[in-house]
Amino acid sequence: MIHCLPMKPYRSTNCRALLGCACLVCLLGGAQDSFGAPTNAPAIAVATNDVPSGEAVFPKSEFDERAGKDPFFPYRVLVPVIKKPTDPIPSDAGRFLVLNGVLGTANRPLATINSRPFEAGEEGEVPTAAGKLKIRCLEIRKDLVIIEIMNSGERKELRLRGK
């Protein structure tokens, strides 16, 4: 059997300090009227450059990201991102194209060029040793495919290897 003792009330000195601060704030808050400035004193007119109250004008932001300063994080230095220009694809990139096979039916043939299937009239990018090359498959025959290289407009015939 477990014996439980009743809990004793916890007295904290912080409660007394908190109560004392609350009383002091109440006293000072009520004493503000008697010790503060007179409430019926005339207001002093101050000349400002404000627009009349009927029109609202919002200030224009003066943030210039090219200057390298961020108004919210002034000590952070912004470094501009410079994109590396892509290397132009050489004009003889068509020599990297290989016809892997001709598949499909007689009504709907498919040509596999550099391991990517194409239908007649389809455009797409193929990976080559010179980079990605965008081509359009114009015509598919039994062992021959006619393509157009989109960058140069050059037409090329691709034949199956060994034929």
Side-chain angles (χ1 to χ4, degrees), residues 18-32:
L18 183 63
L19 184 61
C21 288
C23 290
L24 185 62
V25 167
C26 289
L27 288 174
L28 290 177
Q32 182 179 4

Side-chain angles (χ1 to χ4, degrees), residues 78-140:
L78 298 177
V79 179
V81 177
I82 300 172
K83 291 187 177 182
K84 180 182 173 187
T86 57
D87 296 329
I89 295 177
S91 61
D92 63 342
R95 65 188 174 114
F96 295 111
L97 296 173
V98 176
L99 177 62
N100 300 113
V102 178
L103 310 169
T105 62
N107 295 340
R108 194 171 176 190
L110 292 173
T112 307
I113 302 170
N114 287 23
S115 302
R116 187 187 183 289
F118 284 92
E119 288 186 65
E122 183 181 356
E123 291 182 14
E125 289 185 345
V126 291
T128 64
K132 287 192 176 184
L133 189 64
K134 189 168 184 177
I135 63 170
R136 175 186 293 144
C137 181
L138 300 175
E139 186 178 343
I140 301 174

Side-chain angles (χ1 to χ4, degrees), residues 40-55:
N40 56 1
I44 300 172
V46 177
T48 62
N49 294 333
D50 289 341
V51 178
S53 62
E55 298 176 26

